[in-house]
C-alpha cells in the first residue's frame, strides 16, 4: 500500500498489522523504485486523476515493469464523461485538468488511456467508462474502469 501521507500508512499498519505479503510505503506512487519481487496485482482507485499526465505515464510504466507475467492492473479513475468534467478553474498548461472545490482533478481520455495501456504491452481484459463503479450517497457518476493483464 502506498500513500503520500506517512500517518495514513501508520493507520494501515495499526489496522491490518504486518503480514509477509503486505508492504506499506509512504511515498509518491508516480516515482516509485522498482520492486525486488514482481507483484501479482497493481490496484489504483481514484488516484490517476489526481496526478499530471506525466505522473500517470510514470505510474503505468512502473506497473508494467513491476508486475509478474500474468499479473493484473486494475484501475478506476475519472474520465471525460464524469459529471465534474470542466467544472472549476482550468489548470494552466495541462489539458483537461481543473481545480474544483479545492481539489486538482485531471479527466482522463478513455481512448487515449486504453491505447497507452496497450502500448505498454498489457492486454485489456475489461474496459468501460460508465456508471455503477462508484455510487456514493445519492450520486452515481461515470468513471473509467480498466482491468488489464501483463
Amino acid at each position: 500500500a502506498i500513500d503520500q501521507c506517512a500517518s495514513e500508512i501508520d493507520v494501515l499498519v495499526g489496522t491490518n498489522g504486518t503480514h509477509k505479503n503486505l508492504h506499506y510505503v509512504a511515498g509518491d506512487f508516480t516515482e516509485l523504485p522498482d520492486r525486488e519481487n514482481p507483484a501479482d496485482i497493481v490496484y489504483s482507485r481514484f488516484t490517476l486523476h489526481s496526478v499530471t499526465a506525466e505522473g500517470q505515464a510514470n505510474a503505468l510504466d512502473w506497473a508494467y515493469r513491476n508486475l509478474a507475467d500474468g499479473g493484473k492492473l486494475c484501475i478506476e479513475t475519472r474520465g471525460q464523461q464524469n459529471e465534474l468534467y470542466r467544472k472549476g478553474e482550468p489548470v494552466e498548461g495541462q489539458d483537461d485538468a481543473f481545480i474544483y472545490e479545492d481539489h486538482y482533478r485531471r479527466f482522463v481520455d478513455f481512448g487515449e488511456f486504453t491505447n497507452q495501456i496497450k502500448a505498454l504491452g498489457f492486454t485489456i481484459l475489461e474496459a468501460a467508462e460508465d456508471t455503477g463503479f462508484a455510487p456514493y450517497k445519492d450520486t452515481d457518476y461515470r468513471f473509467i474502469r480498466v482491468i488489464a493483464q501483463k
Side-chain angles (χ1 to χ4, degrees):
I2 301 155
D3 198 293
Q4 284 187 319
C5 183
S7 62
E8 191 61 32
I9 295 297
D10 292 341
V11 169
L12 288 171
V13 171
T15 302
N16 300 315
T18 59
H19 188 281
K20 68 178 183 172
N21 291 328
L22 292 177
H23 305 281
Y24 302 98
V25 177
D28 181 347
F29 76 96
T30 67
E31 297 180 5
L32 293 173
D34 286 342
R35 294 171 46 90
E36 289 183 28
N37 300 310
D40 295 321
I41 296 173
V42 171
Y43 175 74
S44 169
R45 187 165 197 244
F46 304 158
T47 56
L48 288 181
H49 60 252
S50 66
V51 299
T52 64
E54 180 182 356
Q56 173 181 300
N58 290 346
L60 293 175
D61 186 55
W62 179 91
Y64 189 81
R65 287 192 325 270
N66 289 276
L67 271 170
D69 290 339
K72 291 186 180 171
L73 173 67
C74 306
I75 295 176
E76 289 181 346
T77 191
R78 288 184 193 271
Q80 294 175 351
Q81 291 184 22
N82 186 269
E83 288 74 0
L84 298 181
Y85 182 50
R86 296 193 184 273
K87 289 190 176 182
E89 294 296 317
V91 176
E92 188 175 334
Q94 294 186 43
D95 294 338
D96 300 313
F98 303 86
I99 303 294
Y100 178 65
E101 295 180 339
D102 295 325
H103 282 78
Y104 170 93
R105 293 182 179 96
R106 186 179 53 82
F107 295 83
V108 175
D109 179 290
F110 179 70
E112 289 177 13
F113 186 58
T114 55
N115 286 337
Q116 181 181 22
I117 291 169
K118 288 184 224 175
L120 286 168
F122 285 103
T123 299
I124 293 182
L125 304 177
E126 177 184 328
E129 186 170 13
D130 208 346
T131 59
F133 298 145
Y136 178 71
K137 296 183 180 178
D138 62 344
T139 65
D140 190 11
Y141 292 164
R142 292 181 183 277
F143 286 91
I144 292 172
R145 176 182 284 170
V146 174
I147 300 174
Q149 188 168 32
K150 180 175 176 183

